[in-house]
Amino acid sequence: MANDDEDKLGIDDLIPAAGGEWHGLLFDNPTLRLPPCLTWSLEFPFKDVARGGDASPVSVSVEWLPIPADSWRRVAGHHLSSATFGEPAEATVYYYLHRRFQSVDVRLTDQDNRSLRAVAALSGDIDGLGIDPVRADAWLTFTGITVSLHDVNSPEMALTRLRQFTDTTGLTIGPDSRTAGLRFLATPR
């Protein structure tokens, strides 16, 4: 993609699309002295943007959110802010590549089983996307929780450890799980 002004993303290009997701990650890294922590990610899709015969997907991602909820079924009502990129949350806009934003403010307003309404405002355009602030507001679908702990090597052990962080009622091991990342999905109703 060229760097011409006509190739830049504009606020009018941010047209919400269906299919947003939210999921959890129980992660640790003993080498970096990171203890086990359950964090959450939100993915807000927008319609693809075409420039000169080439198109790029566009999305807003907010990752590493430490939502203080006792259950994945009860995360609505939380308000989280991160004033510095990566401390703790990371907010990006994808348009040909990920563009970082300094701060993010997230409100989890409503929840209906696996559907969560999230409202995010990103500001502090670090990588020169050219839009600041960026806002996203959508109903997102729960796609599970991945357990990636250095000392976990079975679904039973992963579920036991996950119970220390959230209620696991309604979760079952996913068919695509591997030892390095055991994924638990919501049981269909």
Side-chain angles (χ1 to χ4, degrees), residues 113-189:
N113 193 23
R114 295 184 294 169
S115 296
L116 175 68
R117 182 169 176 230
V119 179
L122 288 59
S123 59
D125 182 2
I126 296 171
D127 296 318
L129 178 66
I131 303 172
D132 194 350
V134 172
R135 300 185 193 290
D137 181 344
W139 280 93
L140 310 175
T141 301
F142 180 68
T143 58
I145 302 173
T146 300
V147 176
S148 183
L149 299 172
H150 78 282
D151 60 349
V152 168
N153 56 22
S154 73
E156 296 78 18
M157 186 183 291
L159 192 59
T160 297
R161 295 290 297 279
L162 184 57
R163 280 188 190 111
Q164 297 171 355
F165 294 86
T166 189
D167 176 19
T168 60
T169 303
L171 295 178
T172 186
I173 190 74
D176 62 343
S177 288
R178 321 178 294 295
T179 303
L182 296 164
R183 189 165 189 90
F184 292 89
L185 307 173
T187 308
R189 285 183 157 195

